[in-house]
Amino acid sequence: MTVVGPFGLSVRDQVLDTDIRAGLADVEEGLLEATKSDVPFITEAAQHLVRAGGKRFRPLLVLLAAQFGDPHAPGVVPSAVVVELTHLATLYHDDVMDEANVRRGVPSANARWDNSVAVLTGDFLFARASHILADLGPEAVRIQAEAFERLVTGQILETAGPRDGRDPIEHYLDVIAGKTGSLVAVSTRFGAMMSGAPESVVDTLTQYGERMGVAFQLADDVLDIASDTHESGKTPGTDLREGIPTLPVLHVRDQVARAGAAASPEDRRLVELLDGDLSDDARHAEALRLLRAHPALEQARRDTVRYADAARAALGPLPESAAKQALVALCDAVVYRAG
């Protein structure tokens, strides 16, 4: 057994392990090449998060999905570079919107430079992704454009909040299906499509990616509350401090609202903290402590398991192979991250 990719994914097949390792190395080289500029400062800013590392979750999915066709087809690695560049670009923009100071264990671009540099660097990465995408054909361009529209729509819906009468939890699940699920679905779709896999296989892997993307984000939501480490790539409690209503927080609000006058003093105190300013370290620490002990966190874990199970079920029609086993193992790894 060897270990590659995010979460220490175990790959038992030596041929697959060698293929994936080589593919990820090619993607890394492609990312560095795509982020070079004739202007040294642009290169430095564009490579800031590339060199900080990351799980490379989306490129890994491209490479695994490509195993259902010709994994060495010429469009496979470039499409993996495209999805990771797109993801990186959104991180630059997200950090500006969230006023984040740390990303992947290093100062965020907006903290190191300023908001303008971070936004423009994200735009530069989108441009470079589009340049590579153009060589992959009009169908690839269309797929990426549709996914990007969903991604931006998800971000706008998050900013706007649920409309009157809409269940906030259902709204949030729609948000992350757009913000995260769309690009993860493109990852598995591109891998299968670029490898020449049959259309039915492409459709199956796209469904898997969509569900896996939601499970992946829900696991991050749990980690933001439950982890004492930087496992999520951000300081624990970052979303909480910034007032971002992740799934555990939404479950708290729902459960307390349902309890009404019967809600415990601890629950009422937690909602009071969530409604207030959590930039204060003492209030933030108290909210984090109460959330970690609240049943809402376990509910969020169950939701993560539900989506991971749905992703696993989507793989049913695929023939048995080492690549299929690895995709199943990713479902288990996502659940493990959520505890």
Side-chain angles (χ1 to χ4, degrees):
M1 181 185 299
T2 53
V3 176
V4 299
F7 326 131
L9 172 64
S10 298
V11 177
R12 298 171 183 270
D13 183 272
Q14 187 60 51
V15 174
L16 177 60
D17 173 72
T18 301
D19 244 17
I20 298 301
R21 286 179 182 274
L24 288 172
D26 289 343
V27 169
E28 210 64 28
E29 184 178 334
L31 287 171
L32 290 173
E33 186 61 33
T35 47
K36 286 180 182 176
S37 168
D38 293 338
V39 180
F41 176 71
I42 295 177
T43 301
E44 181 186 8
Q47 292 186 351
H48 179 62
L49 288 184
V50 173
R51 294 188 181 278
K55 293 179 277 291
R56 303 293 188 253
F57 180 61
R58 292 154 189 82
L60 176 66
L61 286 173
V62 173
L63 298 175
L64 287 173
Q67 294 290 323
F68 294 88
D70 175 8
H72 305 118
V76 172
V77 168
S79 68
V81 172
V82 165
V83 294
E84 188 67 7
L85 283 175
T86 304
H87 172 58
L88 288 169
T90 66
L91 297 184
Y92 281 83
H93 288 180
D94 282 353
D95 286 344
V96 171
M97 294 179 65
D98 299 340
E99 299 180 358
N101 292 317
V102 176
R103 172 69 71 172
R104 295 182 172 177
V106 300
S108 60
N110 49 298
R112 179 170 176 179
W113 294 289
D114 58 33
N115 284 349
S116 295
V117 168
V119 169
L120 292 170
T121 302
D123 293 345
F124 176 80
L125 295 180
F126 283 131
R128 285 298 174 88
S130 297
H131 183 79
I132 298 169
L133 196 64
D135 293 332
L136 298 178
E139 178 68 2
V141 172
R142 182 186 65 79
I143 290 169
Q144 175 79 351
E146 290 175 351
F148 193 57
E149 179 183 343
R150 286 186 61 204
L151 192 158
V152 173
T153 299
Q155 184 66 69
I156 293 171
L157 287 174
E158 180 179 67
T159 302
R163 65 179 183 272
D164 289 345
R166 180 83 197 278
D167 178 8
I169 293 175
E170 288 183 6
H171 172 82
Y172 180 69
L173 291 173
D174 283 347
V175 164
I176 61 174
K179 281 186 60 177
T180 306
S182 60
L183 193 56
V184 175
V186 165
S187 301
T188 47
R189 186 173 184 177
F190 272 174
M193 188 175 84
M194 297 299 167
S195 73
E199 191 62 34
S200 60
V201 171
V202 175
D203 290 343
T204 293
L205 286 166
T206 302
Q207 290 179 37
Y208 167 85
E210 180 82 25
R211 297 168 186 178
M212 174 59 81
V214 175
F216 180 82
Q217 181 58 56
L218 294 183
D220 265 4
D221 285 1
V222 171
L223 278 174
D224 185 63
I225 302 301
S227 176
D228 284 320
T229 70
H230 291 237
E231 188 177 352
S232 65
K234 298 181 294 185
T235 303
T238 295
D239 291 337
L240 182 65
R241 188 183 294 276
E242 293 166 0
I244 298 172
T246 58
L247 192 62
V249 170
L250 292 172
H251 276 310
V252 166
R253 293 187 181 282
D254 180 63
Q255 292 176 20
V256 172
R258 289 175 185 275
S264 69
E266 291 83 2
D267 281 3
R268 289 196 294 272
R269 172 58 178 166
L270 178 52
V271 171
E272 177 190 334
L273 289 166
L274 295 173
D275 287 342
D277 180 9
L278 290 178
S279 62
D280 176 78
D281 287 344
R283 290 174 59 86
H284 178 264
E286 184 183 0
L288 200 56
R289 176 180 61 80
L290 290 171
L291 260 173
R292 286 172 173 168
H294 200 280
L297 186 60
E298 186 55 38
Q299 179 61 56
R301 285 193 176 101
R302 288 196 294 271
D303 290 334
T304 304
V305 170
R306 178 163 56 88
Y307 276 93
D309 286 346
R312 184 186 294 106
L315 296 171
L318 296 180
E320 291 302 320
S321 66
K324 181 178 179 179
Q325 291 172 8
L327 291 171
V328 169
L330 275 178
C331 299
D332 297 333
V334 164
V335 170
Y336 176 79
R337 289 177 77 226

